[in-house]
């Protein structure tokens, strides 16, 4: 008899969006990693409260058994306090401003009061990234977050620097990063939990070293947006897959509407559904 898996063994990717910035059909790429009862948002979509409510409704209707998707209610802006954003482009980072306002003034009024009382700073969401990406994010949001509020980026977020070769723990979850190759600073990541690993390329042109880092994972999510100058083409990914001995599952994301991964022998990341690692 196989032992029943408990909630703590769940290592799941709840996919909120899979499209590129121009899509008429998909939300931009983002997903929530569930590790037991912990939820980590990767990339910050605009309208996170609406997006997560839609996700819960769609997934709840497809899997109506109450034990099919344990803790589905956890996929909500209120419940997400660990964030990973891989680079400053709007289709990955624009939702951070909403999260900043939401946590500060709606969910926890207020993490830090307007007189500068630093009470409740432990309630700030933790934002993980490399130093250069966190600097880009701070600079991009500075006029909006700071103007007339007397507050700064660090009042809204607890920035958590993760550098290559220095893994960081979020509870039992281990985050490792590697710089990727886009037209702004960015990074790819591996997420480990209880002996299994997930990896995600971020936006990147194809790179053999990077794909080697990513392929040390049971589930791999890779950019596949065609333009090989700043993204990865399906031909590049398929050629790598056919020549590698990768035994895990590869999903592609950052999808253009005109692109059908299946036509290239690739598997699209499923939007508004989840995959188990
Ligand atoms: Zn980008």
């Amino acid at each position: 008899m196989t032992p029943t898996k408990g909630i703590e063994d769940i290592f799941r990717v709840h996919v909120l969006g899979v499209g590129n910035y121009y899509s008429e059909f998909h939300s931009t790429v983002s997903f929530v990693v569930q590790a037991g009862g912990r939820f980590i948002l990767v990339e910050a979509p605009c309208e996170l409260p609406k997006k997560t409510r839609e996700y819960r409704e769609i997934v709840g209707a497809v899997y109506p058994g109450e034990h099919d998707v344990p803790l589905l209610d956890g996929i909500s802006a209120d419940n997400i306090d660990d964030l990973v954003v891989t680079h400053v482009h709007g289709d990955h980072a624009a939702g951070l401003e909403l999260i900043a306002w939401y946590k500060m003034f709606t969910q926890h009024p207020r993490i830090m009061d307007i007189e500068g009382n630093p009470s409740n700073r432990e309630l700030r969401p933790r934002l993980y990234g490399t130093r250069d990406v966190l600097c880009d994010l701070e600079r991009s949001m500075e006029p909006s977050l700071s103007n007339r509020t007397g507050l700064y980026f660090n009042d809204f977020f607890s920035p958590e620097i993760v550098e290559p070769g220095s893994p960081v723990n979020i509870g039992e979850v281990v985050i490792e990063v590697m710089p990727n190759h886009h037209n702004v600073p960015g990074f790819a990541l591996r997420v480990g939990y209880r002996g299994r690993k997930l990896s995600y390329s971020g936006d990147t042109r194809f790179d053999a070293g990077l794909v080697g880092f990513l392929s040390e994972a049971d589930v791999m999510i890779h950019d596949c947006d065609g333009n090989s100058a700043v993204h990865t083409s399906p031909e590049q990914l398929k050629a790598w897959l056919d020549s590698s001995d990768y035994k895990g599952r590869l999903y592609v994301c950052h999808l253009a509407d005109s692109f059908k991964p299946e036509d290239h022998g690739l598997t699209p990341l499923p939007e508004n559904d989840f995959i188990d690692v």
Side-chain angles (χ1 to χ4, degrees):
M1 201 173 99
T2 46
T4 311
K5 278 192 166 184
I7 283 177
E8 285 307 311
D9 291 316
I10 294 173
F11 189 14
R12 184 165 278 180
V13 182
H14 298 273
V15 182
L16 305 180
V18 303
N20 69 8
Y21 222 170
Y22 316 117
S23 177
E24 292 187 337
F25 301 103
H26 299 298
S27 294
T28 53
V29 176
S30 69
F31 49 89
V32 176
V33 176
Q34 179 182 4
R38 183 180 292 279
F39 297 89
I40 302 166
L41 179 68
V42 179
E43 314 293 26
C46 293
E47 304 184 330
L48 181 66
K50 177 167 175 278
K51 188 72 213 136
T52 48
R53 192 266 306 157
E54 287 172 350
Y55 178 85
R56 294 193 306 270
E57 286 183 3
I58 293 168
V59 169
V62 174
Y63 304 92
E66 65 181 288
H67 302 297
D68 291 344
V69 195
L71 306 181
L72 181 59
D73 285 350
I75 315 296
S76 73
D78 277 357
N79 203 46
I80 294 169
D81 289 299
D82 292 297
L83 317 166
V84 181
V85 172
T86 62
H87 65 294
V88 74
H89 283 158
D91 52 334
H92 299 252
L96 274 178
E97 184 183 306
L98 165 99
I99 295 170
W101 297 131
Y102 182 82
K103 296 282 177 182
M104 174 74 82
F105 298 118
T106 298
Q107 186 180 354
H108 307 298
R110 309 206 264 282
I111 291 175
M112 186 175 186
D113 68 29
I114 218 75
E115 285 82 40
N117 175 8
S119 60
N120 300 324
R121 286 176 71 82
E122 72 280 3
L123 295 176
R124 291 171 300 164
R126 295 167 290 277
L127 178 58
Y128 297 84
T130 54
R131 188 181 299 275
D132 51 2
V133 169
L134 289 172
C135 284
D136 275 357
L137 295 172
E138 178 175 0
R139 267 201 303 271
S140 74
M141 282 187 280
E142 206 274 338
S144 172
L145 293 187
S146 297
N147 190 23
R148 299 188 185 178
T149 65
L151 299 170
Y152 297 94
F153 181 78
N154 287 15
D155 298 320
F156 291 92
F157 297 104
S158 174
E160 308 288 338
I161 295 170
V162 194
E163 294 294 4
S166 299
V168 162
N169 277 75
I170 307 175
E172 277 187 67
V173 175
V174 182
I175 306 280
E176 302 167 278
V177 302
M178 182 180 235
N180 59 12
H181 308 280
H182 202 37
N183 51 356
V184 291
F187 60 89
L189 64 144
R190 288 195 302 226
V191 183
Y193 181 67
R194 297 201 167 191
R196 287 168 284 164
K197 253 180 208 179
L198 162 74
S199 66
Y200 167 54
S201 67
D203 284 8
T204 188
R205 67 174 192 268
F206 184 83
D207 178 81
L210 187 71
V211 90
F213 168 84
L214 295 166
S215 63
E216 288 177 28
D218 305 280
V219 170
M220 182 174 161
I221 299 171
H222 204 290
D223 169 354
C224 192
D225 198 6
N227 170 2
S228 57
V230 290
H231 289 282
T232 296
S233 73
E235 292 78 15
Q236 289 171 314
L237 265 187
K238 189 65 168 66
W240 169 78
L241 194 57
D242 289 345
S243 64
S244 81
D245 58 358
Y246 181 57
K247 300 286 192 297
R249 286 165 285 152
L250 168 66
Y251 296 89
V252 296
C253 67
H254 219 281
L255 307 177
D257 287 347
S258 58
F259 170 56
K260 299 283 170 283
E262 297 91 337
D263 294 347
H264 298 262
L266 297 168
T267 306
L269 191 65
E271 184 162 313
N272 289 320
D273 204 347
F274 59 83
I275 50 178
D276 285 315
V277 179

